Amino acid sequence: MENIKGSCLCGKNHVMIKRYGNFVYSCHCDMCRKMTAGPVMAVDPEKSDNVELQLDAELVTYYQSSPDVERAFCATCGTYLFWHHLVRDHYCFNAELFPEIIADAQFGLQVFYDRKPNYYDFANETKKFDSHWQEVE
Ligand SMILES: [Zn+2]
Ligand SMILES: [Zn+2]
């Protein structure tokens, strides 16, 4: 797919991924779960040259969750927008911003699987990696 449009719940902030397939992964880390009340479902367009941020600077809140990483949120509706590694210039977006992607998504990977609490489990067949990037099972 090309020029895939995404937006937050209130529709004030827009993002676009220039080229992407349908790969979705989940992150079970403590920060993602606290931020969203569950695992984050994410897409990984990687570099900034593959994304176009159409954000209203006054309507976006950034939170630096670790020294090299910022997370962006819509300041109006609270929607989690993206994770951005500032040094690697690597973006991962909230998959749920993009109706076209999730309509035919391939859920293929779970990360920080060792941080997943016991009260939920996905039934999907996926690869799983722990917080040290070692494959589990
Ligand atoms: Zn919003
Ligand atoms: Zn995470």
Side-chain angles (χ1 to χ4, degrees):
M1 290 187 280
E2 291 188 1
N3 300 328
I4 310 154
K5 292 183 170 67
S7 62
C8 63
L9 182 59
C10 75
K12 288 179 177 167
N13 285 298
H14 298 266
V15 293
M16 193 176 75
I17 299 176
K18 293 178 183 171
R19 284 172 207 280
Y20 198 71
N22 61 357
F23 175 77
V24 170
Y25 76 94
S26 69
C27 183
H28 301 288
C29 84
D30 299 64
M31 285 192 273
C32 285
R33 287 185 291 103
K34 183 158 281 202
M35 181 182 78
T36 60
V40 161
M41 306 304 289
V43 295
D44 185 2
E46 300 186 356
K47 299 294 181 189
S48 59
D49 61 6
N50 194 32
V51 306
E52 199 173 297
L53 304 178
Q54 299 152 345
L55 307 173
D56 184 326
E58 293 183 359
L59 297 176
V60 176
T61 296
Y62 293 91
Y63 172 63
Q64 194 154 358
S65 57
S66 50
D68 296 337
V69 171
E70 66 181 10
R71 295 167 185 254
F73 304 83
C74 175
T76 299
C77 68
T79 299
Y80 167 57
L81 298 169
F82 58 80
W83 174 102
H84 182 208
H85 194 289
L86 300 162
V87 177
R88 299 202 314 258
D89 185 32
H90 187 153
Y91 282 89
C92 290
F93 285 87
N94 171 359
E96 294 291 335
L97 304 179
F98 302 95
E100 282 179 90
I101 294 176
I102 61 172
D104 189 32
Q106 180 67 42
F107 176 37
L109 175 66
Q110 300 180 60
V111 300
F112 282 80
Y113 195 74
D114 54 331
R115 300 301 308 155
K116 183 187 74 59
N118 288 326
Y119 77 88
Y120 69 80
D121 259 314
F122 290 121
N124 308 65
E125 293 271 327
T126 68
K127 285 184 177 282
K128 301 178 180 81
F129 285 84
D130 69 16
S131 51
H132 307 287
W133 303 104
Q134 299 295 311
E135 191 160 5
V136 288
E137 284 181 306

